[in-house]
Amino acid sequence: MTCILCPNGCKLKVEVANNEIASLEGARCPRGEKFAYQELNDPHRNIATSVLVKNGDIQLVSVRLTEPIPKDRIFDVMKEIKKVTCTAPIASGQIILSDVAGLGVDVISTKEIMNAVN
């Protein structure tokens, strides 16, 4: 597996025995072992996508989650995000959707959107 916790992108070779990591090779920092353990037991991912904007100087605002979510809930979260349309103005870091899919994680904007000039 490839570790995604830092820019190194280490190629990890993980051997598992009895649902535990028996050996781990290729980690250039301590985060590699943490990543391998999490991937095997409870994988999480972050999401970055876009949401439609009404009355904005552009039609889409980029958004992301405030924390990674369980990998198996990505489609549930994306389904909720797709239902959302925002109205300008939008501030960078503004909460677009609170507690998405009941996971205790918010969807926030990553840029400022101004009102459209008529």
Side-chain angles (χ1 to χ4, degrees):
M1 65 180 65
T2 301
C3 181
I4 59 173
L5 292 184
C6 79
N8 287 328
C10 296
K11 304 286 186 214
L12 305 177
K13 181 179 178 185
V14 182
E15 291 186 31
V16 179
N18 299 320
N19 294 325
E20 295 290 326
I21 296 175
S23 70
L24 173 74
E25 296 176 14
R28 290 186 265 172
C29 75
R31 292 181 262 185
E33 185 173 351
K34 177 182 175 186
F35 175 78
Y37 180 83
Q38 184 175 356
E39 272 301 287
L40 293 171
N41 294 292
D42 186 23
H44 279 61
R45 296 290 184 275
N46 210 322
I47 294 174
T49 188
S50 304
V51 170
L52 289 170
V53 177
K54 291 181 186 177
N55 303 323
D57 57 348
I58 59 175
Q59 296 178 346
L60 295 172
V61 62
S62 54
V63 297
R64 68 171 177 83
L65 302 179
T66 53
E67 294 179 33
I69 58 166
K71 186 177 174 182
D72 63 355
R73 298 294 306 275
I74 289 173
F75 291 108
D76 298 332
V77 170
M78 285 303 298
K79 185 177 177 181
E80 294 299 312
I81 292 172
K82 286 181 182 181
K83 295 177 187 176
V84 175
T85 300
C86 302
T87 302
I90 299 167
S92 180
Q94 179 177 325
I95 295 175
I96 303 300
L97 186 59
S98 295
D99 189 24
V100 65
L103 293 169
V105 174
D106 298 332
V107 176
I108 61 169
S109 64
T110 63
K111 66 185 295 181
E112 182 178 333
I113 306 296
M114 304 302 291
N115 285 323
V117 177
N118 295 327

